[in-house]
Amino acid sequence: MAVLTAPHPAAGASAGPRMLVERNLMIYRHTWALLVAEVFEPVLYLVSIGIGIGQLVGRVPGLGGPSGADVPYSAFVAPALLATAAMNGAMNETTFNMFSKLRTNHTYDSILATPMTVRDVAFGEVLWALLRGTLVTTGFLAVVTAFGLAHSPWILLVVPGAALVGFAFAAAGLAVVTYLRSWQDFQFIQLAMLPMFLFATTFYPLGVYPRWIQVVVECLPLYQSIELIRQPALGEIGPGLLLPVVYLLLMGLIGLRVALPRMQRVLLH
């Protein structure tokens, strides 16, 4: 078990979250295969659906940047899977892993015996989840590039985009985990995540849906995440990126606003 050294009171407000990230990094030095497994899952979807079914689908019309050219189906699916990898990497950390620390291992009891505060724990876990989601996405981006699916140099914006996606979903997960009572409650998370994964234009363009379904899909956080990743990946840079950026920033800030008082009650009472 990794030892968490208490930050010195004069070390500054950022010392606590930073040291929690360092603790998690020390642990993941010995369990790095878990991160590799998270990269492997979207690779399976990319090979089986993006490339496999893509041979039957052909090209998706009107998505190739400002020119509106057709793009291969695999190039359409790959950015969506990049966004999904960032979402899953962050959510897994602040829901599954954090629930274990809260309810099973009681990890935070010993951490809070040091000068670290609940706010330090919250920000540290969100920062680590953000980093984890970005690492998973970067690994998957390397696979996408190796498959020849990087059609624009703007695809490098995937990395900061993944960090924003990770922040939004990590903060949301932090709020959600404070409401979970047992491991059985995770079925409600899957009940929300799976339909969002299937319908948020991961595999189909928005235009295939009736207009009323399009409006619903456009409100989904994964749809906004996919737009943030897919547009630069296909060479489309413009004001349209502002909406997903603002959406995800607000989602993350609201998640923190809900999570912090909830964590105070859970950890200190």
Side-chain angles (χ1 to χ4, degrees):
M1 179 178 178
V3 177
L4 183 69
T5 305
H8 190 277
S14 64
R18 175 177 57 80
M19 296 194 72
L20 195 60
V21 171
E22 290 177 0
R23 173 192 179 276
N24 289 332
L25 282 172
M26 290 175 63
I27 293 173
Y28 269 86
R29 285 188 307 171
H30 307 288
T31 58
W32 56 267
L34 295 175
L35 293 179
V36 175
E38 288 192 18
V39 176
F40 187 63
E41 180 182 354
V43 169
L44 290 179
Y45 280 111
L46 178 63
V47 174
S48 62
I49 297 179
I51 296 177
I53 295 179
Q55 298 298 314
L56 303 175
V57 174
R59 302 177 72 86
V60 180
L63 294 173
S67 63
D70 297 351
V71 298
Y73 182 69
S74 55
F76 170 79
V77 170
L81 294 175
L82 283 165
T84 304
M87 174 188 73
N88 288 336
M91 281 289 290
N92 286 343
E93 187 61 41
T94 55
T95 53
F96 289 97
N97 292 350
M98 195 166 172
F99 184 81
S100 177
K101 295 175 185 178
L102 278 171
R103 305 294 189 184
T104 305
N105 299 329
H106 301 286
T107 304
Y108 300 122
D109 291 349
S110 57
I111 291 177
L112 292 176
T114 74
M116 289 186 66
T117 65
V118 173
R119 182 178 292 268
D120 291 332
V121 170
F123 288 163
E125 292 291 8
V126 168
L127 185 59
W128 167 245
L130 183 158
L131 178 61
R132 176 176 168 174
T134 304
L135 286 173
V136 170
T137 306
T138 303
F140 185 52
L141 177 60
V143 175
V144 168
T145 304
F147 283 170
L149 299 177
H151 296 289
S152 169
W154 291 111
I155 200 171
L156 294 176
L157 292 178
V158 161
V159 177
L164 180 55
V165 172
F167 166 67
F169 280 97
L174 192 71
V176 168
V177 76
T178 62
Y179 289 94
L180 300 180
R181 300 158 299 178
S182 66
W183 290 106
Q184 285 72 29
D185 287 344
F186 279 93
Q187 64 185 324
F188 297 112
I189 296 179
Q190 294 303 315
L191 188 62
M193 299 287 282
L194 183 57
M196 187 164 58
F197 172 63
L198 293 175
F199 290 99
T201 71
T202 311
F203 303 111
Y204 314 105
L206 187 64
V208 305
Y209 300 119
R211 181 54 193 160
W212 70 271
I213 296 182
Q214 291 181 24
V215 173
V216 174
V217 170
E218 288 170 346
C219 294
L220 298 175
L222 181 56
Y223 170 80
Q224 298 297 334
S225 302
I226 290 173
E227 286 296 291
L228 182 63
I229 301 297
R230 180 177 279 152
Q231 290 185 39
L234 298 180
E236 185 175 347
I237 301 296
L241 288 173
L242 291 176
L243 177 59
V245 167
V246 172
Y247 181 106
L248 293 170
L249 277 174
L250 288 175
M251 176 180 168
L253 293 174
I254 292 171
L256 285 176
R257 180 66 182 85
V258 173
L260 286 174
R262 292 280 311 168
M263 286 193 65
Q264 290 279 353
R265 287 194 289 271
V266 170
L267 290 174
L268 299 181
H269 294 87

